[in-house]
Amino acid sequence: MYRYFDKHGKKTLAFFGAFLMVAFLLPTSGLHCSHGLGTHGAVAGKPVNAIDVESAHYRLESLQSLQVVNPQTGQHEPAWNRIFGFGGMPGMAGQLYQQINANTLTWFLLVSEAQQSGAAASEPEVDSFFTSQANPQVITQRNPNLVLRPLTNEKMREDYRQSVRLGLAVRDQFFRSLGRVKISRPMIEQSLAEQAQQVKARLAIFDADEYLAQIGEPTEDELKLQFEAFSSTPAGTIDPNKNPFGFGYRVPDRIKVQYFVIPASEVEAAVVKSKDDFAWEEDARVYFDKNWSQFLPPEPDPSTQPASTQPATAPVKPAFESVSDKVYEALRRPLIDAKRRTIANLITERLNDDYTKAAEKNTPPATQKIADSTVAGDVKIGSYEYLLKVRDEVQRRQHVTVAVVNEGSLLSEIELRGKPGIGLAIATDGPPAERGTFAAQYLFKNVKQFVNSADGMPGRLDLLQPSRSFSDQAATYIVRVVEADPSHAPALMNDVRDQLIKDVKRKNAFAKAVEAAEAALAKAKESGLASLSQVVYTTDWFGQGNLRIPGAPLTDAYADALTEPIFDLQRGLKSESELPRREIVKAQRFNKVAAVELFALKTFINTDFEQMAFAQTEAMLRGEELRSSNVLDNWFNADNVAHRVGYTRADGETPSNNKAPPRSPGSPFMP
């Protein structure tokens, strides 16, 4: 949508001159309907005006351009996400926006439906989007970075209030429709019973690592079969049927990076040296006199004080000497942060300027030609010496020691995240959605060589372009990628021979562990699992929601992997006389096999909380219905909306009642 507006925005405004003021106040878009200007059909016999459709679409887009603070993260997010995030699911909100935005008419029909049904927003909820805590901002620039400005114009504020008002009305109408999703009492009782179910079991754990000593070296044929099966599979890609171990030998995306390091300690030292001790103390005392209440000790918790304690008196100004360290920190911190940003901006601007000049000289911009371009003599932009030259200039101007790191080898995302410093640094500027992103995650997502660069989306890095800044407690980092190696299968089996040998031996050892577990289970049929000579854990009562299995010293992750198979043993059980039930549970990811014996179960519901549990279970089932079915897809589907409101096209036809298109893997709408 953004790219469409960049290309066609002016043409759109020309067609809708009568709405220039609205277009100025709210984001614009092209008209997606195929009927052109004039009438777009009718809703319940009433003509649908093209200008009304476009105006409604402006309202839809304005919910993306209006940014408000998310109280959980403290970061700005689109107002649309707050309305349609359904309790902290921004991915769902984004997917829903794309679905609605794909047809310009859809939002007009959704708003019409809400208005016809009497759905409306509460004004206090509308107000919550425009409080000082929400800090409403408006997108003024999307390329290359998201730029926000305060929403101070009263006319604009009222326009955005109306957009929020309509969005909340549509959401209210959707919530009303959820009431028609039937959740029967037997469904609730069954779900509640399953949640309240508790079991006891015996576990004999067979660790495949203990059988490695019995495994000989694999043959060449075994290695070849293993390589052919998983050479194109990324390591860790688990498929319960085809690849339960997560084998994989595909070389991941890799990059070679160079980066500047601006140490926080150096910046602080430079700020401290900017004044002598006398001047700092003078400024600190002035700051303290104006802000001494910031340095009062915390008030005691009233609940811990005796009843006879006298009422609190007026706060007493502390002595400067007793809080001087805190005063100096409060005084210097803004100066330190400002200097750090200044240095980071100097580096980024210099790298950007030189890159841009080199790219303009080499059209189309070829990376190697840019790298070979020179500045200030014979220093090539692509060289490590160029970065040292930039560093020296910054140090001379800012009186701060800056380091430059040249990683000599290609690194995967995991390897880069393991590097000290840069590995744990996070993005500190740019679009709100990207702040807090690890440097490695950001780079691998945005380097053009690893993504479809043909779509022209902003914010994607080419080789030698500087990144936005990243920071941790110790330093700030500006990175550039100098080489990118896209993921590929290894050329030769010998390239991964050591890992192949290790994996084949692991697989064969696991097969030995399965044999041992099956033998143990066969013996248990005669005298029970407790009769085995090896260690058998007898658990205490536990439910499906337990983080651990009491009585079995297992890691949380492995206990979680065992819980569902253990509870599956009681499926179809008619009476406790059918116990015990036994099964082999394979967990290749943990390299362990368990012989399991379920010998007791019960259902426990605290009657004091039964009513609340019943209500919570009903709400949970409605939430599962929302996630696991096509409720969202179907309700917001353009054709289905048209049918609900009685829309007919200009040619008199009623849209076909198509289902929403199949959902892509990884969609937030998937169960």
Side-chain angles (χ1 to χ4, degrees), residues 39-227:
T39 301
H40 279 227
V43 172
K46 183 180 178 181
V48 175
N49 188 292
I51 293 179
D52 291 339
V53 172
E54 188 66 17
S55 178
H57 200 69
Y58 292 155
R59 295 289 181 194
L60 170 66
E61 291 189 322
S62 73
L63 294 176
Q64 280 284 7
S65 67
L66 177 63
Q67 304 271 318
V68 293
V69 171
N70 182 317
Q72 277 73 46
T73 65
Q75 303 292 335
H76 277 85
E77 66 176 1
W80 175 271
N81 286 16
R82 179 182 289 195
I83 297 172
F84 290 101
F86 301 111
M89 292 184 282
M92 181 179 287
Q95 194 89 350
L96 185 60
Y97 180 83
Q98 292 176 16
Q99 178 179 335
I100 295 172
N101 193 48
N103 187 319
T104 310
L105 185 61
T106 304
W107 188 246
F108 171 82
L109 296 179
L110 285 166
V111 170
S112 299
E113 178 184 36
Q115 292 173 334
Q116 290 172 7
S117 303
S122 70
E123 286 304 306
E125 186 169 10
V126 176
D127 292 340
S128 71
F129 285 74
F130 299 92
T131 63
S132 58
Q133 289 79 13
N135 188 20
Q137 307 267 309
V138 179
I139 296 175
T140 59
Q141 183 180 333
R142 292 189 175 93
N143 191 354
N145 293 319
L146 196 70
V147 177
L148 304 178
R149 63 180 172 86
L151 182 57
T152 56
N153 183 288
E154 287 304 318
K155 178 64 170 68
M156 290 182 67
R157 180 179 286 263
E158 184 51 42
D159 280 322
Y160 278 104
R161 283 182 65 89
Q162 179 62 10
S163 297
V164 170
R165 200 175 280 119
L166 294 175
L168 292 171
V170 171
R171 187 191 67 180
D172 181 61
Q173 177 64 15
F174 171 64
F175 283 161
R176 291 183 183 187
S177 76
L178 284 184
R180 294 192 288 271
V181 176
K182 300 301 181 184
I183 304 295
S184 67
R185 187 175 183 88
M187 287 173 62
I188 299 172
E189 290 174 345
Q190 179 181 348
S191 177
L192 186 58
E194 289 178 357
Q195 292 177 66
Q197 196 109 65
Q198 295 190 341
V199 301
K200 283 186 176 182
R202 296 185 183 92
L203 310 173
I205 309 297
F206 297 84
D207 191 331
D209 289 342
E210 296 177 1
Y211 296 87
L212 278 172
Q214 304 176 24
I215 305 301
E217 292 299 310
T219 66
E220 283 298 310
D221 286 342
E222 285 181 301
L223 296 179
K224 184 179 179 181
L225 286 172
Q226 181 78 2
F227 180 74

Side-chain angles (χ1 to χ4, degrees), residues 259-499:
Y259 53 92
F260 290 84
V261 183
I262 308 169
S265 59
E266 292 288 336
V267 177
E268 182 175 2
V271 169
V272 172
K273 290 178 182 178
S274 65
K275 300 179 184 179
D276 59 31
D277 292 345
F278 179 80
W280 274 119
E281 182 175 350
E282 187 176 52
D283 290 347
R285 288 185 179 277
V286 170
Y287 182 88
F288 174 71
D289 287 339
K290 292 180 179 179
N291 303 281
W292 61 267
S293 60
Q294 297 179 13
F295 306 102
L296 292 172
E299 295 185 4
D301 184 351
S303 63
T304 64
Q305 303 303 302
S308 59
T309 300
Q310 295 297 316
T313 58
V316 178
K317 181 179 180 180
F320 172 79
E321 290 73 16
S322 67
V323 293
S324 59
D325 288 347
K326 294 180 180 179
V327 176
Y328 280 117
E329 168 64 20
L331 178 63
R332 291 168 175 166
R333 179 50 50 194
L335 302 176
I336 294 170
D337 290 343
K339 190 170 186 67
R340 178 191 58 79
R341 286 193 297 270
T342 297
I343 297 171
N345 289 340
L346 279 174
I347 294 172
T348 303
E349 289 170 5
R350 172 61 189 276
L351 297 185
N352 261 327
D353 288 346
D354 289 345
Y355 176 87
T356 301
K357 291 174 184 176
E360 289 172 349
K361 293 178 182 178
N362 299 279
T363 305
T367 300
Q368 190 56 52
K369 290 183 178 180
I370 293 174
D372 291 339
S373 297
T374 59
V375 292
D378 58 353
V379 180
K380 295 181 179 180
I381 288 179
S383 68
Y384 177 57
E385 288 72 24
Y386 163 73
L387 298 186
L388 295 179
K389 181 179 178 63
V390 174
R391 178 204 65 183
D392 293 343
E393 292 178 1
V394 171
Q395 290 183 158
R396 185 169 60 253
R397 293 174 59 181
Q398 294 296 318
H399 308 291
V400 170
T401 300
V402 176
V404 179
V405 177
N406 182 32
E407 293 290 352
S409 58
L410 288 163
L411 302 171
S412 67
E413 182 175 348
I414 292 175
E415 290 169 335
L416 184 55
R417 289 189 67 164
K419 290 288 181 180
I422 188 67
L424 295 179
I426 59 174
T428 53
D429 63 358
E434 292 182 347
R435 294 174 195 166
T437 304
F438 285 106
Q441 179 185 358
Y442 173 84
L443 293 171
F444 277 85
K445 179 182 178 181
N446 286 281
V447 169
K448 284 184 178 179
Q449 282 71 15
F450 299 155
V451 294
N452 178 19
S453 58
D455 64 7
M457 287 292 287
R460 296 198 174 157
L461 283 175
D462 209 338
L463 300 184
L464 302 178
Q465 283 184 310
S467 70
R468 56 176 46 105
S469 61
F470 305 96
S471 294
D472 60 10
Q473 290 185 338
T476 295
Y477 309 84
I478 292 96
V479 189
R480 70 174 188 173
V481 179
V482 296
E483 185 180 340
D485 178 34
S487 176
H488 57 86
L492 301 172
M493 188 174 79
N494 281 342
D495 293 343
V496 290
R497 174 175 286 272
D498 291 345
Q499 188 63 46

Side-chain angles (χ1 to χ4, degrees), residues 539-605:
T539 76
D540 199 349
W541 292 108
F542 69 97
Q544 293 193 65
N546 281 58
L547 296 177
R548 297 179 176 85
I549 296 179
L554 311 175
T555 65
D556 292 353
Y558 183 45
D560 184 62
L562 286 178
T563 298
E564 184 174 346
I566 291 173
F567 272 83
D568 282 345
L569 287 174
Q570 52 88 29
R571 304 291 181 193
L573 194 70
K574 296 179 181 179
S575 70
E576 289 194 50
S577 63
E578 297 179 29
L579 295 177
R581 284 187 171 183
R582 303 179 182 90
E583 185 62 83
I584 295 292
V585 179
K586 303 173 186 178
Q588 288 91 336
R589 183 160 64 99
F590 301 95
N591 230 29
K592 299 181 190 299
V593 183
V596 176
E597 181 178 79
L598 176 68
F599 67 89
L601 61 85
K602 67 178 181 179
T603 300
F604 174 75
I605 301 177

